[in-house]
Amino acid sequence: MENLVNKNLEKGIQLDFQKEMSYGDYLHLDKILSSQHRLSSHHDEMLFIIIHQTSELWMKLILHEVNAAIECIRRNELEPSFKMLSRVSRIQQQLIQSWSVLSTLTPSEYMQFRDKLGHSSGFQSYQNRLIEFALGNKNARTLAVYQHQPELYPVMVGALNEPSIYDAAISALVAHGLSVDEEALNRDWSQNYEPNASVEAAWLTVYRNTDQYWDLYELAEKLVDIGNQQQLWRFNHMTTVERIIGNKIGTGGSSGVTYLKKVLDHQFFPELLSLRTKL
């Protein structure tokens, strides 16, 4: 049988992995593919688990790219950040699409295993919280759910107190000679970003003089892309939850759809949107 298989393959293809690293070894597929543990016997719980696990992997990559982009912007090396931010928006599209897969789960099917989740909830996703922090949506109260994790909690507190990518972009405005109020440059990073008139004026200058400030203009549009995609992800999250559980209380204790609708009221990078009215 082995000889028959070998005859049908190109001679250069590696077949012996007794002493070589294989595809599965490199990706640690034994760990990844053995990490789906259903708590019920219901067929569709596998879908529920895999959607959320793969989403967390995509979020890990978003954080990898966003944090690297922030470092580039801080060094006033804007061009390398553009590729990273473009990749982030593509990853967000994958996350948005995942909701359409989860929406194939009907209310009747979900109710067969929902009680097995206990109080676990997507609200507790620390990577999603880190993404929101990195984009400027800060809320110290959300950290309470991580207090039971002594290794994670300090990381979350540190992220809360770090400048967001938008704070880095505002500093880049100043590095390019544009004027921004001190209160927008040296604020309490743990607080949610609030619109500032001087920041809007600086971005308006960029958009009215794109040839002179092309890199800043490009950066701004990359941020708008990411902000829009994050809002779409939030919206699709809300509509999927509404489709599956209606207005039930969330497993984590939130008001469910009502809470997710309130989240949509938050706006990322507000001056990059408000300036469009004034151009």
Side-chain angles (χ1 to χ4, degrees):
M1 183 66 176
E2 184 179 349
N3 289 335
L4 179 60
V5 172
N6 289 347
K7 287 180 180 179
N8 294 326
L9 293 176
E10 296 177 359
K11 292 182 179 180
I13 293 178
Q14 179 71 31
L15 298 175
D16 184 1
F17 288 94
Q18 295 296 319
K19 298 181 180 180
E20 296 283 344
M21 179 177 66
S22 70
Y23 172 82
D25 295 333
Y26 176 68
L27 295 177
H28 295 280
L29 291 181
D30 55 334
K31 295 178 181 177
I32 294 173
L33 299 179
S34 62
S35 296
Q36 293 73 47
H37 305 292
R38 289 185 294 168
L39 299 180
S40 75
S41 60
H42 197 276
H43 173 84
D44 293 308
E45 189 182 355
M46 184 65 76
L47 163 69
F48 192 82
I49 292 170
I50 289 177
I51 284 290
H52 289 86
Q53 287 183 339
T54 54
S55 293
E56 290 293 337
L57 285 172
W58 284 125
M59 288 180 191
K60 182 173 184 176
L61 186 54
I62 285 177
L63 289 167
H64 178 71
E65 300 294 342
V66 167
N67 289 331
I70 290 173
E71 290 305 312
C72 286
I73 297 167
R74 283 175 173 172
R75 296 193 300 267
N76 202 27
E77 298 172 2
L78 301 188
E79 289 190 4
S81 74
F82 300 157
K83 176 65 177 292
M84 300 165 187
L85 297 179
S86 292
R87 182 174 291 160
V88 168
S89 65
R90 298 294 182 88
I91 299 166
Q92 289 172 308
Q93 290 171 18
Q94 293 288 330
L95 286 167
I96 291 166
Q97 179 60 27
S98 71
W99 293 120
S100 68
V101 181
L102 186 60
S103 69
T104 64
L105 181 69
T106 69
S108 297
E109 291 162 348
Y110 182 48
M111 288 303 113
Q112 297 299 311
F113 63 87
R114 186 178 189 245
D115 63 318
K116 300 294 185 181
L117 304 180
H119 291 298
S120 64
S121 163
F123 180 85
Q124 298 144 23
S125 168
Y126 76 87
Q127 291 197 124
N128 184 53
R129 188 66 53 200
L130 288 173
I131 290 170
E132 292 276 330
F133 284 0
L135 299 185
N137 182 19
K138 304 288 187 74
N139 186 341
R141 291 184 62 192
T142 61
L143 297 186
V145 297
Y146 310 111
Q147 287 181 340
H148 69 291
Q149 297 173 274
E151 294 183 359
L152 176 60
Y153 187 69
V155 174
M156 303 303 293
V157 172
L160 179 73
N161 289 281
E162 281 290 315
S164 71
I165 193 168
Y166 194 49
D167 293 312
I170 292 170
S171 294
L173 291 171
V174 176
H176 283 74
L178 295 162
S179 178
V180 173
D181 291 344
E182 186 67 20
E183 65 186 43
L185 291 172
N186 293 299
R187 64 186 191 86
D188 182 352
W189 311 121
S190 69
Q191 298 299 307
N192 190 43
Y193 179 81
E194 297 293 338
N196 179 279
S198 69
V199 173
E200 182 185 67
W203 285 122
L204 272 168
T205 299
V206 170
Y207 275 72
R208 287 170 175 158
N209 302 274
T210 56
D211 289 344
Q212 181 180 353
Y213 299 107
W214 183 263
D215 279 358
L216 289 171
Y217 175 60
E218 182 77 6
L219 174 61
E221 287 298 295
K222 296 296 185 190
L223 292 178
V224 171
D225 287 343
I226 289 172
N228 285 349
Q229 296 286 1
Q230 191 70 4
Q231 283 288 56
L232 284 172
W233 182 86
R234 288 168 162 184
F235 179 78
N236 282 27
H237 183 189
M238 182 271 294
T239 56
T240 302
V241 170
E242 187 173 45
R243 175 173 176 157
I244 296 174
I245 69 167
N247 288 299
K248 290 184 178 69
I249 297 297
T251 50
S254 76
S255 56
V257 169
T258 301
Y259 169 77
L260 295 175
K261 287 180 177 178
K262 290 178 181 177
V263 170
L264 285 169
D265 291 336
H266 172 266
Q267 192 176 70
F268 296 101
F269 324 132
E271 293 89 352
L272 295 181
L273 299 179
S274 63
L275 69 83
R276 282 154 163 77
T277 304
K278 298 183 178 180
L279 271 177

